[in-house]
Amino acid sequence: MDGVLVHENQAIPGAADMIEHWVASGKRFLVLTNNSIYTPRDLRARLLSSGLDVPEANIWTSAMATAEFLRRQRPGGRAFVIGEAGLTTALHDAGFILTDQDPEYVVLGETRTYSFEAITKAIRLIAGGARFITTNPDVTGPSPEGLLPATGSVAALITQATGSAPYVVGKPNPMMFRSALNRIDAHSETTAMIGDRMDTDIVAGMEAGLLTILVHTGITRPGDVASFPFRPDVEHDSVAEILAELREGRVGEDSFVASGPHED
């Protein structure tokens, strides 16, 4: 989202037209975020306020990917959860029982109010044998006052206390993109991923077998690409350039996954 479709809660030029083009033409696409705080309904409202009309069904979060992963691992399982509505709703919808009594998993996501009591409970449960899962590895998140500690930072605290490292579902784990492909019944050979970060979007898209498109409206600048040991398949200044090529018929467009860094 952020850096590809929006920047500081404003739609990036061409983003609204791109979404409208995909919706009108019936193309399969998802908008991804590593942020696990919000439900798709919440994110749709936030995107609308930025001038982007993205249907709920076309939003995929790290919380949803985590819930889908756990549903496949242990249907009807039990989990102790630290997180907001985006995560608890996704796990509930996946059939999980949310409890602190003998859970099989401790699931850590994003929240604005990390509780020391909840973190202590998580440490004791993991020490007692619960498996440790996190929605994403982001160590900080944005706020009007500056940086906030995020999932990755709290996960590091728990790991230090327990000696157990979590399994991280969100980007740069290609699992995030594979779950998105399954969501829209797409195949990696005919799907492109649009992102703005080499270290999360592009590497995960590459490892998932997708065509990777880097746009220069976010974190990674054109001069930064050469410092990485891998490259995107395509580079564009913005999604507006991609849309122009689509309209001119210069590229194919079976399925797209539009992604970005931690979106507030």
Side-chain angles (χ1 to χ4, degrees):
M1 290 185 182
D2 192 39
V4 176
L5 300 178
V6 295
H7 178 65
E8 295 182 354
N9 297 320
Q10 296 295 317
I12 288 172
D17 292 336
M18 173 77 89
I19 298 298
E20 182 180 344
H21 172 75
W22 283 337
V23 171
S25 59
K27 298 300 179 183
R28 291 168 292 163
F29 74 94
L30 287 177
V31 173
L32 270 64
T33 176
N34 252 6
N35 193 314
S36 65
I37 290 179
Y38 305 106
T39 66
R41 182 176 298 178
D42 298 331
L43 288 171
R44 171 169 166 72
R46 291 168 67 86
L47 289 168
L48 274 173
S49 69
S50 299
L52 298 175
D53 189 1
V54 181
E56 283 183 46
N58 296 100
I59 295 173
W60 190 244
T61 71
S62 63
M64 298 167 74
T66 299
E68 177 61 17
F69 166 74
L70 290 175
R71 184 188 68 79
R72 289 172 175 267
Q73 290 285 306
R74 189 176 291 273
R78 300 162 63 88
F80 175 71
V81 180
I82 299 176
E84 300 281 354
L87 180 56
T88 57
T89 300
L91 286 167
H92 183 268
D93 289 347
F96 262 68
I97 298 169
L98 308 187
T99 179
D100 62 357
Q101 300 299 311
D102 300 318
E104 292 140 328
Y105 297 96
V106 167
V107 184
L108 175 67
E110 204 77 18
T111 175
R112 296 294 187 188
T113 55
Y114 283 110
S115 158
F116 187 78
E117 181 181 357
I119 292 170
T120 301
K121 171 69 74 173
I123 288 170
R124 290 171 179 168
L125 289 171
I126 293 168
R131 301 158 186 85
F132 187 19
I133 306 289
T134 62
T135 58
N136 62 284
D138 304 68
V139 294
T140 61
S143 80
E145 294 78 27
L147 294 178
L148 291 172
T151 309
S153 295
V154 179
L157 184 160
I158 295 173
T159 295
Q160 284 293 102
T162 62
S164 297
Y167 180 74
V168 184
V169 176
K171 302 177 297 176
N173 187 345
M175 172 74 71
M176 179 78 167
F177 291 125
R178 294 194 182 107
S179 65
L181 290 169
N182 291 336
R183 177 77 167 189
I184 57 174
D185 193 26
H187 194 283
S188 59
E189 292 184 359
T190 54
T191 304
M193 189 286 306
I194 306 169
D196 77 308
R197 290 190 67 143
M198 289 290 290
D199 58 346
T200 55
D201 302 329
I202 300 303
V203 68
M206 176 187 69
E207 291 179 356
L210 307 175
L211 176 77
T212 56
I213 303 174
L214 177 70
V215 290
H216 299 148
T217 48
I219 299 297
T220 300
R221 310 310 301 165
D224 299 334
V225 175
S227 64
F228 289 87
F230 51 88
R231 298 183 62 83
D233 295 302
V234 182
E235 291 185 62
H236 282 292
D237 285 339
S238 71
V239 290
E241 282 191 2
I242 301 171
L243 179 59
E245 291 200 356
L246 292 175
R247 285 175 168 168
E248 293 168 11
R250 286 187 280 158
V251 294
E253 49 163 324
D254 280 357
S255 308
F256 279 88
V257 171
S259 187
H262 184 101
E263 197 277 331
D264 182 29

